[in-house]
Amino acid sequence: MGFLFKKEYRLGLFLVLVFGIFLFYADQTSEQIVTYFTNTMFRYEKPAFLKLVYLVLLVVTIAMLATLNKSEKSTIEEKKDAFNSFVISSVSSFFSGWAVHLYFVVKTVENRASFMQLEDQFWIYHCADLTLVIGFAFAGFMKLRPAIHR
């Protein structure tokens, strides 16, 4: 576990930590954004974010970092760049899905449409989580895999 304290991985790990804290409060942040844009007090009844997925992705990220660290085929600089790029790509993928999620929630609240109907549309309601998982997998395949198996 000493690789977690290596200087070259600090930026990526710091971003993972900050993003993890943000994800812990994603529900409240989303509620405040929707309330601001709709001028209506808004609160989620059914969780909009799958918190267990974040824990699984954290464990997989640490495992991938351990594998990357053990790789002898890449230089330290290549490993650092690959990990940072992987983290930034994964985090960025969440925000695109979050924007879609917020758009549909704001639209539903403004039109006074059925929120239960929105909750039943799994792909839209959990769009942020889905884009995070897809972005995570894609970033791992495109960024970390070449650095590990070079």
Side-chain angles (χ1 to χ4, degrees):
M1 293 294 264
F3 62 90
L4 291 175
F5 301 104
K6 284 190 172 182
K7 167 175 90 166
E8 42 287 345
Y9 304 130
R10 282 186 193 154
L11 176 64
L13 289 171
F14 179 73
L15 184 56
V16 167
L17 177 70
V18 169
F19 185 59
I21 292 169
F22 167 77
L23 289 176
F24 186 74
Y25 295 105
D27 288 323
Q28 293 90 344
T29 305
S30 297
E31 289 170 353
Q32 291 173 352
I33 290 171
V34 172
T35 298
Y36 175 79
F37 281 111
T38 62
N39 291 323
T40 304
M41 191 62 183
F42 175 77
R43 186 168 167 207
Y44 288 111
E45 292 301 321
K46 182 178 173 185
F49 301 96
L50 307 171
K51 308 257 182 192
L52 189 58
V53 170
Y54 308 146
L55 292 175
V56 170
L57 292 181
L58 175 64
V59 170
V60 173
T61 299
I62 292 171
M64 291 170 82
L65 179 57
T67 304
L68 177 67
N69 187 57
K70 288 179 186 175
S71 174
E72 297 174 357
K73 298 179 181 182
S74 299
T75 66
I76 298 290
E77 193 64 30
E78 290 172 334
K79 291 177 185 180
K80 172 186 153 192
D81 291 342
F83 183 68
N84 289 341
S85 180
F86 163 74
V87 171
I88 290 169
S89 298
S90 297
V91 169
S92 300
S93 67
F94 172 84
F95 288 107
S96 60
W98 191 42
V100 170
H101 168 81
L102 289 174
Y103 169 78
F104 280 101
V105 170
V106 167
K107 186 176 162 188
T108 300
V109 171
E110 284 179 341
N111 294 336
R112 306 229 185 266
S114 170
F115 204 80
M116 290 176 70
Q117 192 174 25
L118 177 65
E119 289 174 344
D120 288 339
Q121 295 176 343
F122 183 85
W123 303 109
I124 293 174
Y125 195 66
H126 294 288
C127 186
D129 297 325
L130 295 172
T131 57
L132 174 62
V133 170
I134 291 167
F136 179 87
F138 189 71
F141 184 72
M142 298 302 290
K143 308 289 183 182
L144 286 184
R145 186 174 176 267
I148 293 170
H149 298 294
R150 188 165 305 200

